[in-house]
Amino acid sequence: MKNLVLFGPPGAGKGTQATFLKDTYNLIHISTGDVFRYNIKNKTDLGILAKSFMDKGELVPDHVTIDMLNAEVAKNLDSNGFIFDGFPRNTLQADALDELLKSHETEVSAMIALEVDDEVLVQRLLKRGETSGRPDDANESVVRNRIKIYYKQTAILKNYYFDASKYYGVNGVGSVEDITERLKAVINNL
Ligand code: AMP
């Protein structure tokens, strides 16, 4: 199995790139944010709980997120592998992912990070908020809080995967096609 963690701050382009990469490599794309949004739309208990955190730009509690991720992986064990988008977001989640994949006799192949400057992120997210219908994109203070939480809790995962010799940084500024090509160059060499 090829299991990729697509990494980067909110607005780095993870979701956009994952939709191209999943077709190229025949992988299952799991975006934890998308799964939460699906549950919000369908007014499930998970959705109602997740919404109270997402609207403020905060992380949904780990046990809830990890249980949900485990269930998504369990549905697709016959696949070629996964693109994890928006997960893990802290060390506890990274440990949980390692454990989960190990229990299925596989592992994270690589973390590929899209690197983009903060001000570019804020502008991209606010622009996306004009059309995405995502309340957490439309409000500048929520956008800035998401980026702040990324640096406080998530960015540290660079070291986690770097120490395991699994970290690859890619310039996330440029045309969508150019960035896809940069990502493919990394993945084809794994
Ligand atoms: P995203 O679509 O990845 O930008 O995520 C949108 C929101 O969903 C985040 O701001 C969090 O509130 C929540 N979320 C998504 N993934 C996770 C995760 N791995 N852990 C905790 N909360 C998450």
Side-chain angles (χ1 to χ4, degrees), residues 9-11 14 31-37 40 50-51 53-62 65-66 68-69 85-90 93 125 128 134 136-137 142 146 149:
K14 301 184 292 291
S31 156
T32 41
D34 282 353
V35 178
F36 286 138
R37 281 183 287 277
I40 291 173
K51 186 171 167 31
F53 294 92
M54 290 168 75
D55 281 352
K56 291 180 273 180
E58 285 168 11
L59 296 187
V60 177
D62 286 326
T65 306
I66 290 166
M68 179 270 268
L69 193 272
D85 161 7
F87 187 98
R89 264 180 151 95
N90 57 33
Q93 292 185 10
L125 286 167
R128 186 169 84 183
R134 283 182 55 170
D136 61 344
D137 282 346
V142 174
R146 287 161 62 202
I149 287 181

Side-chain angles (χ1 to χ4, degrees), residues 20 65 74 76 93 104 127 139:
F20 292 110
T65 306
N76 293 290
Q93 292 185 10
H104 297 301
K127 191 154 194 319
N139 177 314

Side-chain angles (χ1 to χ4, degrees), residues 9 21 28 61 66 71 92 99 108 118 130 132 156 161:
L21 297 176
I28 303 291
I66 290 166
L92 199 124
E99 212 175 289
V108 170
D118 289 357
E130 291 169 11
S132 70
I156 193 174
Y161 290 95

Side-chain angles (χ1 to χ4, degrees), residues 2 4-6 21 25 109-114 166-171 178-190:
K2 208 189 267 284
L4 307 174
V5 173
L6 202 51
L21 297 176
Y25 298 100
S109 315
M111 165 188 265
I112 312 178
L114 290 167
K166 290 182 177 177
Y167 180 86
Y168 300 85
V170 164
N171 176 2
D178 284 351
I179 299 166
T180 308
E181 289 311 312
R182 289 175 206 151
L183 291 166
K184 281 193 203 164
V186 171
I187 298 168
N188 291 339
N189 266 317
L190 289 177

Side-chain angles (χ1 to χ4, degrees), residues 32-139:
T32 41
D34 282 353
V35 178
F36 286 138
R37 281 183 287 277
Y38 176 85
N39 277 275
I40 291 173
K41 206 169 128 207
N42 290 287
K43 299 194 169 63
T44 67
D45 289 347
L46 174 63
I48 291 161
L49 180 108
K51 186 171 167 31
S52 62
F53 294 92
M54 290 168 75
D55 281 352
K56 291 180 273 180
E58 285 168 11
L59 296 187
V60 177
D62 286 326
H63 67 281
V64 175
T65 306
I66 290 166
D67 284 354
M68 179 270 268
L69 193 272
N70 287 359
E72 292 297 314
V73 167
K75 283 186 213 162
N76 293 290
L77 283 172
D78 55 351
S79 68
N80 269 345
F82 296 91
I83 300 178
F84 298 103
D85 161 7
F87 187 98
R89 264 180 151 95
N90 57 33
T91 316
L92 199 124
Q93 292 185 10
D95 285 336
L97 181 61
D98 280 350
E99 212 175 289
L100 171 71
L101 293 178
K102 203 169 159 197
S103 76
H104 297 301
E105 286 161 13
T106 182
E107 61 179 354
V108 170
S109 315
M111 165 188 265
I112 312 178
L114 290 167
E115 297 168 339
V116 181
D117 279 349
D118 289 357
E119 280 313 308
V120 177
L121 295 174
V122 174
Q123 296 319 317
R124 273 192 195 175
L125 286 167
L126 291 173
K127 191 154 194 319
R128 186 169 84 183
E130 291 169 11
T131 53
S132 70
R134 283 182 55 170
D136 61 344
D137 282 346
N139 177 314

